[in-house]
Amino acid sequence: MTGDVAVLGAGMHPWGKWGRSFVEYGTVAARAALADAGIDWRQVQSVVGADTVRCGYPGYVAGATFAQALGWQGARVTSVYAACASGAQAINTARSQILAGMADVVLVVGADSAPKGFFAPAGGDRPDDPDWVRFRVLGATNPAYFGLYARRRIALYGDSPEDFALVKVKNAAAGALNPNARYRKTVSAEDVAASAVVADPLRLLDICATSDGAAALVLSGMDFARRHGVSDPVRIRAVSTVTPTYPKTVLDLPDIATDSAAAVDPVPHTFRASIARAAYEEAGIGPEDLSLAEVYDLSTALELEWYEDIGLCGTGEGAKLVREGATALGGRIPVNVSGGLASFGEAVPAQAIAQVCELTWQLRGAAGDRQVPGARTGMTANQGLFGHGSAVVAVR
């Protein structure tokens, strides 16, 4: 146990395709988080920015970029990049600074201006880059490996495209209630089935879009929170950023290696399961303690795998949960009550932070029509390229 840090404020810039600078989005989210916390910008002692590498020099130094946009005031700055896990890495960096006594109040910001269409690799030849390898050698675009995951579930567990469509229907219903979501329209299973095939068996409505957007958090030590008049804040209790253990008996694109120089035995659980396992161990809880979860639904089929990876059900039982309505609003263990990436799309550096924003509002009882009654404990689960794990446990 490393100790809790308080979430004093949460803020977002709505997701969409706005055609403006990521700096503008991040500044809006940061100011919203500061206002929510009741903190003056000049009180912030550190800024941790999650980098967006498509946006040139300012994106690569996001901490300083957001500090400059808010107005230089002497805060220390840090910039981090871990692909889709960037936001969780930024939260973990802020937490580490607070627990180490380096800062009382830290602002965490992630924002993106995403390109149109699906993500593509950066230019140039990089044969030692697993992202380049999977695009150029394997031809595995993101939708291609989403489709492979889906096909594997069909072959092993008997899942069907109809099961996958239920995930989209569930998340769209939640997203319709979220003012920050890009897509705020309910859909039916028939709508999913009628959308274009992208990577068989997945259709357009099975796969998340790319989006512009931003999210921010104001974190502090518990003593500062009490001095600030917040006696019972939402608290971050664990952040998991573990790496895979090799050898891996099942290929997990895009991280396609199967061996290692380390002499280790195969582990009984997958990489994604190990991400959640580490978070549970640090927080001193188990999946039975969760009130809700926000998971990385790059595709509808992948969300079903996360149910299993975070321990909500056994291997191969994810589709059963969604058929029963267990993971919908009002269900036994609601998942992606924000609407998930299905409703937001990917704004890569922001999405893991946005997940914690949703947990914050839920645990405060301030999520409006999408509120999970009596929510006390939540987990986020995300992932990043190059073996970056990402999970956060928040409690109240």
Side-chain angles (χ1 to χ4, degrees):
M1 301 288 288
T2 56
D4 293 349
V5 297
V7 182
L8 294 185
M12 293 178 66
H13 183 290
W15 258 235
K17 283 287 189 180
W18 309 114
R20 300 194 292 274
S21 167
F22 79 99
V23 183
E24 179 178 334
Y25 309 144
T27 303
V28 168
R31 287 176 175 152
L34 289 166
D36 184 46
I39 293 290
D40 186 273
W41 160 236
R42 289 167 293 187
Q43 293 176 268
V44 173
Q45 297 167 339
S46 179
V47 180
V48 184
D51 291 353
T52 171
V53 299
R54 289 178 303 279
C55 294
Y57 184 77
Y60 281 98
V61 289
T65 298
F66 293 127
Q68 182 183 31
L70 292 164
W72 295 126
Q73 44 83 306
R76 72 170 70 233
V77 294
T78 310
S79 300
V80 300
Y81 180 69
C84 296
S86 297
Q89 292 280 3
I91 291 168
N92 196 46
T93 299
R95 181 182 71 147
S96 299
Q97 291 178 354
I98 292 166
L99 294 177
M102 298 168 63
D104 288 327
V105 183
V106 183
L107 173 67
V108 179
V109 191
D112 204 358
S113 296
K116 184 178 180 181
F118 297 120
F119 292 128
D125 291 342
R126 300 180 310 284
D128 58 348
D129 177 349
D131 200 29
W132 181 90
V133 169
R134 59 105 172 188
F135 275 110
R136 294 288 294 276
V137 177
L138 300 181
T141 63
N142 286 6
Y145 73 83
F146 302 159
L148 290 172
Y149 282 131
R151 274 286 161 209
R152 184 174 183 271
R153 292 198 64 85
I154 290 172
L156 290 180
Y157 312 129
D159 291 5
S160 69
E162 290 74 23
D163 294 324
F164 305 151
L166 290 176
V167 177
K168 175 64 177 183
V169 172
K170 170 186 74 72
N171 289 350
L177 304 174
N178 193 332
N180 289 308
R182 175 178 177 181
Y183 301 106
R184 299 190 61 199
K185 179 182 178 182
T186 60
V187 302
S188 66
E190 292 74 22
D191 293 330
V192 179
S195 63
V197 174
V198 175
D200 185 68
L202 298 179
R203 296 178 175 272
L204 186 64
L205 292 183
D206 284 302
I207 296 171
C208 75
T210 62
S211 290
D212 298 356
L217 295 165
V218 176
L219 306 181
S220 80
M222 296 302 297
D223 288 343
F224 181 92
R226 285 187 283 268
R227 294 196 303 271
H228 189 60
V230 183
S231 60
D232 184 27
V234 172
R235 290 158 286 156
I236 291 176
R237 180 152 288 175
V239 184
S240 170
T241 59
V242 298
T243 56
T245 301
Y246 290 98
K248 289 164 67 177
T249 56
V250 177
L251 291 180
D252 187 13
L253 293 172
D255 187 13
I256 57 178
T258 59
D259 57 7
S260 170
V264 294
D265 294 327
V267 292
H269 43 265
T270 66
F271 171 45
R272 283 191 302 273
S274 73
I275 298 170
R277 189 186 192 94
Y280 286 136
E281 289 177 354
E282 183 180 339
I285 65 167
E288 67 279 2
D289 297 307
L290 294 180
S291 306
L292 73 156
E294 288 285 310
V295 305
Y296 191 42
D297 60 317
L298 292 167
S299 79
T300 51
L302 188 59
E303 177 169 322
L304 299 182
E305 294 205 24
W306 277 113
Y307 296 170
E308 300 160 16
D309 293 329
I310 68 174
L312 303 185
C313 60
T315 301
E317 297 176 356
K320 182 174 182 288
L321 282 190
V322 77
R323 289 178 206 139
E324 295 171 346
T327 56
L329 275 169
R332 173 175 61 82
I333 176 63
V335 177
N336 285 342
V337 292
S338 66
L341 295 180
S343 299
F344 277 74
E346 283 201 273
V348 170
Q351 57 207 36
I353 302 171
Q355 289 179 322
V356 179
C357 287
E358 181 65 23
L359 292 192
T360 299
W361 294 321
Q362 289 285 344
L363 298 182
R364 288 177 178 173
D369 291 339
R370 63 183 193 281
Q371 179 65 49
V372 175
R376 303 297 294 178
T377 304
M379 169 182 273
T380 71
N382 206 309
Q383 197 176 338
L385 293 181
F386 324 118
H388 278 109
S390 170
V392 179
V393 173
V395 301
R396 192 174 190 188

